[in-house]
Amino acid sequence: MKVVILAGGLGSRLAEETEVRPKPMVEIGDRPILWHIMKHYAASGFAEFVVALGYKGEDIKRFFVDYQSLAGDLTVRLGTGGVERQAVDRDDWTVHLVDTGAETGTGGRVAKLASWLGSEPFMLTYGDGVSNVDLGALLAFHRECGKLATVTAVRPPARFGGLAFGPDRTVTFTEKPQVGEGWINGGFMVIEPAVLDRIRGDATSFEADVLEELSAEGQLVGFAHEGFWQPMDTLRDVRYLRSLWATGTAPWATWG
């Protein structure tokens, strides 16, 4: 099953980073968040990706070309110009990088990938959020429900940190709790190919136009995920994700 990743938006709320790179290329540790998302999928056996490019898409192309050619140790023979790649474990992925336009809506981007997707169901997510959702369980849930689309429903992270009261009204600061109120669409979707016929043009929003239409028809179900989910919308989010990775406590690193 192919995995579609929407990676073409402007990322305007993260202008500190996205003025010079596309949002999916913002790094957590020494790898872009896009790589982290793909590692999560690959760990569950989903290793063929179709990445919908837009804003600064050439940077994403360059990353994967360089990633393949520069991974691991190299021996360079300066006299002859020869380069020898030493044995190294490489990610065994197939990555299709498809230009879908700088101004195209999310639905329009998915429609432009139709020829890459064929007539099979596919995974769909965004290139700016990580989670430890059980992808195998998500797919099984989708098949059991028999609807046209499944979204992963998540609790939004609370925006602020908190205070915890102790004896004599003393307080300690706490990290922002993982879950806020209600449920939202956290991405990590499974989509039937018939949904592509509902996309009416480049400006179509997959969320506001397609998913809401499916919901009104009873063709959209939600896979409730109570675990970790974190978008990367602000510089504060970037710092939070980097701190988790740096301390070895990143819950989305399901590949071990």
Side-chain angles (χ1 to χ4, degrees), residues 157-228:
R159 183 178 176 187
F160 302 106
L163 294 175
F165 281 94
D168 302 322
R169 298 185 181 180
T170 59
V171 296
T172 55
F173 289 98
T174 62
E175 291 291 333
K176 58 182 180 180
Q178 172 56 32
V179 293
E181 297 296 324
W183 296 90
I184 61 172
N185 172 15
F188 299 96
M189 297 171 263
V190 187
I191 309 296
E192 293 295 320
V195 173
L196 296 173
D197 297 333
R198 296 168 177 261
I199 301 173
R200 298 176 179 85
D202 284 0
T204 301
S205 164
F206 195 78
E207 301 77 17
D209 299 321
V210 179
L211 291 183
E212 289 193 12
E213 180 180 282
L214 291 172
S215 175
E217 297 174 10
Q219 286 293 329
L220 178 68
V221 291
F223 178 75
H225 173 60
E226 295 274 10
F228 181 85

Side-chain angles (χ1 to χ4, degrees), residues 81-101:
V83 178
E84 300 170 9
R85 295 182 178 89
Q86 308 302 325
V88 64
D89 290 332
R90 290 188 174 87
D91 292 313
D92 188 15
W93 305 342
T94 299
V95 184
H96 309 287
L97 302 164
V98 184
D99 291 311
T100 58

Side-chain angles (χ1 to χ4, degrees), residues 1 14 23 71 85 109 132 145 152 158 188 201 208 217 230 234:
M1 180 176 284
L14 193 56
K23 193 176 181 183
R85 295 182 178 89
R109 293 192 192 283
N132 62 354
C145 292
T152 294
F188 299 96
E217 297 174 10
Q230 177 66 51
T234 67

Side-chain angles (χ1 to χ4, degrees), residues 147-167:
K147 301 298 185 180
L148 289 178
T150 300
V151 301
T152 294
V154 299
R155 301 284 194 181
R159 183 178 176 187
F160 302 106
L163 294 175
F165 281 94

